[in-house]
Each structure stands twice: as structure tokens, then as C-alpha cells.
């Protein structure tokens, strides 16, 4: 089957299971998930969706999220959008069901899900992720080109081509503040282009002629943090103008005052303050790994999976981006990626500890390739988290892997990533460091191996109580309603419920590290 036909077939299979075109209010996607706004949640057939071969799982948040995996989701989404549009055009007028009736049917479920994820801090993290996650594809593409260019320069190959590659790799990073400003204004309810216009001041070369706080400003000073603050300020100025400026003058006065007021505040305040904060972040990260790299790596690698589950990992996205902007790579992501290695090792131990449970073993075999590439959702929700203890031992594996990579940072061999989003083996093309690509790849690869082994041993020897082994190390006949895309049913802690898919509350977006990478702040893919 052609790729286009396969993607359209997947979209066509999903559409009726979410209630058809009339039930879809919005469509979007992140790194791994098709995210749908639905009028009536009760029309969704969860079990049938989970049984589709292309679906890794479903996660419910303020949107209904169908996990399709990186690459696939970007191809299925346009096909799904086209099918929805076609379905709406072909649908006859509906008079039997009123809008109030339709809304009332799913109101209770929707309110319940939103209440669980509507804390002020999580809502703030959701906004942060919504600002930065759309930038990840460009970060990945430019990061890989930067790595390729560095390799060619070191080898002395294609000297006529490397300047062009350098321009491709650096162009986006030179203007990333503009994109951050645009997305920030959009997310906070302002006019996106005005947010981008104010943020563009930060990267304008002419700021080098301006003195603030006794210092001459530098183009790019403050970076993404300055752009974030400038755009938020622009949104508030714009909203104030909308309230007080007469409508007849709005089109002229509001944009002018927005750029003028927030621009002056950016030049004579935010650039300096954000520049100091950005420098402090870079200095602290370097100091932390230089002086306590092994211990810091152990803690970061061990805690990252719980951070993903709580959605707190989204707070790291601006830090990663700031480090990439300053140093060319983030030293934190390779350490955090070790959490995924611990998860893989734990899953392999579960496979050997439960030789009679064909269901879980099939889940692990089908989910391991995704786990090795840094997509941890199938293993987390299908294996370690439902079993309980193996989730903890997976964190132990991540801690040892993180400690290993952190130790080499402490010894002077910096290991970094030129982009956020990928993890696991998918991070290899994005690696960079201070002692050559060969050394960096070796350390990172060895760290993954340490994470695999530590996660395996911790889970094999300490991941199961006698009661847990008695309950799960038994053969289970597959039930038709629980046969999923992984090729088999997925038992839960009740030994008869379907937990082999990402069904239920996910980590509280893509992510993206993938998950560190991240997708959304409250439901980002566990890309670790």
C-alpha cells in the first residue's frame, strides 16, 4: 500500500470512532499525537481506537489525544483534516439535536478532565509548552544540519559547501526570538505579528548602538527569555489599548502604542534583565555539571520520569532553548534521556521475569523499538506504571545512566544536544560536545548501556514482590476487546483490564525530551 493510501486509511479508520466529522471541533498535532477537540466525548469508541494497528494509545486532557508516533502523526493529520472537511460538506443539516443538547451530553466528562489539569501552575506550563513545542521541528532539522556541517569541517571535506550548511543551521537560531515572540502573543491572546515585531528588536543589529544600565546592548541579548517577556508585555499593552482607544483610531493607534511602549521597555529593561538571567542559567548549568556532575546527573536522570508524569518537565523547555542559543547545545538533555534507557532496561527485565504472561511479553516486544527511539509511552503505560514497582526501578536505571554521563561532564567531556525533542537512539544525530563527535557519541552510547543494564538489574532483582509474580506470571487468553495495535491484550494490576496502551491520564506535551521532548505541558509524550 502506498504511504499516502496508508495514512488516509488510518485517518479514515479513526474518524468514525471519534464520532464522525460533525463531532470534531478542532484538529491539531504535536510530535506524536493527533489532538482533537470533540463536541461529545461519549461518541468516542476508546477500545476500537486502541485496537487500530497505527494507534499506540489514547490520552484524555482538554483535548482528546491519539498517540500515532513521530512522523506518522504529521502525515495522518492532513488526511484526517481533509476527511473531516469532506464529511462536513456532505453532511445534511441537523435539526433533531440542538447545540445545547449536544453540549450537555459530554459536559460532565469534559469538566472532570479539565478540573484535574487546570491548576494555575499546570496551565502556565501548558502555555510555555505551546510556545516552544511548535519550534521543535526547526530545532531538530537545523541541529542535524549543524552536526553534519561540524563533521564535514572536522574532516576537511566539501569546503565549498560547509558555509552554506552553516547558514542553514544558524539562520533559524539567529531569529528564534522572533518566533518565540510570535507564538507567545498568540498563546496569551494578543496579535501574533505584534509579539514577533517587539521580539525582533532583540535580534536587530542596531541595538549595538544603544546603552542601557551603563552597558552597550548586544544583538540577541536576553534571547528567548527576553522575547518571551517582551511579547507578554506587548499583549497586555495591546489589550489595554483595545479597551481605551476609540474604534475609529484603533487600527492606527493600537499597533503603534503596542510596539512603542513594549519596545522601549524591552530595550531599556527587559533585554538587560533577561540577558543576566540567561547568563546565570548557562553559568549554573556549567557549574553544576563541572563540580557535581555525577551526583547531579544521578538525580536528574532518576527524577525525570516522575517529572514527566507530573508535567513539570515542561518547565525545562525554556532552559534547554536558552542553553542551545548560548552554547550551541543543551547539556541537560542527554542526561535526562537516560530515563528512557532505564525504562527500556526495566521492560526487558519484566519480559524475562514473566515468561508465562504472553500478553505482557507481546506488548514489550512491540513497544521496545519505540522505546529505543525515545518514545516511552507504550512502555510506561503498558508495562512499568501499571505494575508499580518496575516504574520505580526504571527510575533507578535512569539515575545510573544520568550519573554516568554527568560524571564525564564533570571530568571535562561535555555531552550536549543541539536540539530538543528526540531521545534514545534518535538523539545520536543531534549530539555535540567539546571533545569531538566520536568522544561524545561514545559517552552517550555508554550511558544508554549503563541505563539499560541498571534498569534491567534493578527490575529483575527488586521489581517484583512474590504476590506480584504470583498474580502476573500466568498465561492469559486474549480478549477481543483488548487486542490492540501491539498485537495482544494488555493486562492491568487486576490481571484482566486493558492497560497495555496509553489510555488514561498521561504525563502532565511532546514530550518532544521528546518526550524530553516534549508535546504539550499536561500530556506531553514521555519522550525519554
Amino acid at each position: 500500500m502506498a504511504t499516502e493510501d496508508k495514512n488516509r486509511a488510518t485517518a479514515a479508520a479513526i474518524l468514525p470512532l471519534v464520532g464522525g466529522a460533525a463531532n470534531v471541533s478542532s484538529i491539531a498535532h504535536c510530535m506524536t499525537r493527533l489532538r482533537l477537540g470533540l463536541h461529545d466525548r461519549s461518541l468516542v469508541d476508546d477500545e476500537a481506537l486502541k485496537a487500530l494497528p497505527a494507534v499506540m494509545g489514547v490520552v484524555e486532557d482538554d483535548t482528546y489525544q491519539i498517540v500515532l508516533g513521530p512522523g506518522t502523526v504529521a502525515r495522518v493529520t492532513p488526511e484526517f483534516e481533509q476527511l473531516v472537511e469532506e464529511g462536513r460538506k456532505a453532511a445534511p443539516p441537523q435539526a433533531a439535536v440542538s447545540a445545547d443538547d449536544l453540549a450537555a451530553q459530554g459536559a460532565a466528562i469534559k469538566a472532570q478532565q479539565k478540573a484535574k489539569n487546570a491548576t494555575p501552575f499546570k496551565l502556565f506550563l501548558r502555555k510555555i509548552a505551546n510556545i516552544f513545542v511548535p519550534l521543535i521541528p526547526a530545532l531538530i532539522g537545523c541541529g542535524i544540519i549543524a552536526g553534519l556541517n561540524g563533521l564535514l569541517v572536522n574532516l576537511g571535506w566539501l569546503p565549498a559547501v560547509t558555509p552554506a550548511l552553516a547558514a542553514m543551521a544558524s539562520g533559524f537560531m539567529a531569529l528564534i526570538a522572533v518566533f518565540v515572540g510570535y507564538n507567545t502573543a498568540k498563546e496569551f491572546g494578543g496579535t501574533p505579528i505584534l509579539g514577533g515585531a517587539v521580539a525582533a528588536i532583540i535580534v536587530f543589529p542596531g541595538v549595538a548602538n544603544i546603552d542601557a544600565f551603563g552597558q552597550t546592548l548586544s544583538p540577541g541579548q536576553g534571547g528567548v527569555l527576553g522575547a518571551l517577556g517582551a511579547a507578554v508585555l506587548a499583549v497586555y499593552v495591546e489589550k489595554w489599548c483595545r479597551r481605551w482607544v476609540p474604534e475609529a483610531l484603533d487600527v492606527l493607534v493600537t499597533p503603534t502604542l503596542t510596539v512603542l511602549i513594549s519596545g522601549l521597555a524591552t530595550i531599556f529593561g527587559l533585554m538587560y534583565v533577561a540577558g543576566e538571567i540567561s547568563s546565570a542559567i548557562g553559568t549554573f548549568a556549567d557549574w553544576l555539571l563541572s563540580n557535581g556532575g555525577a551526583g547531579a546527573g544521578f538525580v536528574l536522570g532518576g527524577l525525570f520520569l516522575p517529572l514527566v508524569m507530573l508535567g513539570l518537565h515542561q518547565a525545562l523547555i525554556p532552559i534547554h532553548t536558552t542553553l542551545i542559543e548560548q552554547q550551541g547545545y543543551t547539556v541537560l538533555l542527554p542526561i535526562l534521556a537516560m530515563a528512557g534507557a532505564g525504562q527500556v532496561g526495566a521492560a526487558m527485565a519484566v519480559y524475562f521475569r514473566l515468561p508465562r504472561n504472553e500478553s505482557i511479553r507481546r506488548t514489550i516486544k512491540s513497544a521496545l523499538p519505540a522505546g529505543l527511539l525515545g518514545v516511552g509511552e507504550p512502555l510506561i503505560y503498558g508495562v512499568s506504571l501499571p505494575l508499580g514497582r518496575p516504574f520505580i526501578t526504571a527510575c533507578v536505571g535512569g539515575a545510573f545512566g544520568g550519573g554516568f554521563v554527568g560524571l564525564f561532564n564533570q571530568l571535562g567531556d561535555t555531552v550536549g544536544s543541539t536540539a530538543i525533542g528526540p531521545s534514545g537512539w534518535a538523539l545520536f544525530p543531534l549530539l555535540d560536545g567539546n571533545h569531538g563527535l566520536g568522544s561524545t557519541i561514545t559517552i552517550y552510547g555508554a550511558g544508554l548501556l549503563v541505563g539499560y543494564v541498571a534498569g534491567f538489574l534493578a527490575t529483575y532483582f527488586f521489581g517484583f514482590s512474590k504476590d506480584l509474580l504470583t498474580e502476573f506470571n500466568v498465561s492469559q487468553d486474549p480478549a477481543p476487546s483488548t487486542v490492540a495495535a501491539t498485537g495482544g491484550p494488555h493486562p492491568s494490576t487486576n490481571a484482566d483490564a486493558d492497560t497495555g496502551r496509553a489510555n488514561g491520564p498521561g504525563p502532565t506535551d511532546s514530550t518532544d525530551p521528546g518526550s524530553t521532548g516534549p508535546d504539550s505541558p499536561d500530556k506531553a509524550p514521555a519522550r525519554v
Side-chain angles (χ1 to χ4, degrees), residues 14-25 38-39 43 80 84 87-88:
I14 291 174
L15 184 56
L17 300 180
V18 296
N23 195 38
V24 178
S25 61
L38 301 174
H39 294 296
L43 296 179
F80 188 85
V84 169
R88 288 172 178 168

Side-chain angles (χ1 to χ4, degrees), residues 297-379:
F298 190 90
V299 172
L300 291 172
L303 290 181
F304 189 70
L305 281 180
L307 286 178
V308 170
M309 300 303 300
L310 296 172
L312 301 179
H313 67 299
Q314 302 297 341
L316 298 174
I317 294 178
I319 297 176
H320 287 310
T321 309
T322 297
L323 292 175
I324 292 171
E325 193 177 31
Q326 284 183 347
Q327 304 173 359
Y329 49 77
T330 168
V331 293
L332 298 180
L333 184 55
I335 292 175
L336 299 175
M338 295 300 118
Q343 176 67 58
V344 168
M348 295 173 69
V350 171
Y351 183 89
F352 286 104
R353 288 289 272 164
L354 302 178
R356 299 178 183 175
N357 194 316
E358 300 90 350
S359 172
I360 288 182
R361 287 162 65 92
R362 279 195 298 267
T363 299
I364 293 172
K365 284 193 293 185
S366 60
L368 266 179
L372 291 170
L373 292 173
V375 180
E377 287 164 315
L379 288 177

Side-chain angles (χ1 to χ4, degrees), residues 354 357 360 380-391 464 467-474 476 490-500:
L354 302 178
N357 194 316
I360 288 182
I380 290 176
Y381 294 109
V383 181
S384 65
L385 194 59
L387 292 174
R389 235 191 246 189
F391 181 77
F464 290 89
D467 291 340
L468 199 62
L469 279 175
T470 301
E471 181 178 0
F472 279 92
N473 193 24
V474 293
Q476 296 184 350
H490 307 278
S492 72
T493 50
N494 297 326
D496 59 4
D498 178 13
T499 58

Side-chain angles (χ1 to χ4, degrees), residues 73-101:
V73 68
R75 291 165 173 80
V76 171
T77 300
E79 301 290 345
F80 188 85
E81 290 174 334
Q82 184 175 351
L83 288 174
V84 169
E85 185 64 25
E86 292 172 357
R88 288 172 178 168
K89 290 180 179 178
Q94 297 184 6
V97 180
S98 69
D100 291 339
D101 293 336

Side-chain angles (χ1 to χ4, degrees), residues 420-475:
I420 57 177
S423 184
W425 293 4
L427 196 62
F428 277 109
L430 295 168
L431 292 176
D432 197 1
N434 60 345
H435 282 171
L437 188 58
S439 174
T440 303
I441 288 177
T442 300
I443 295 171
Y444 179 73
L448 288 177
L449 183 61
V450 170
Y452 296 152
V453 173
F456 179 91
L457 294 177
T459 305
Y460 192 90
F461 290 107
F462 305 104
F464 290 89
S465 64
K466 291 183 179 180
D467 291 340
L468 199 62
L469 279 175
T470 301
E471 181 178 0
F472 279 92
N473 193 24
V474 293
S475 179

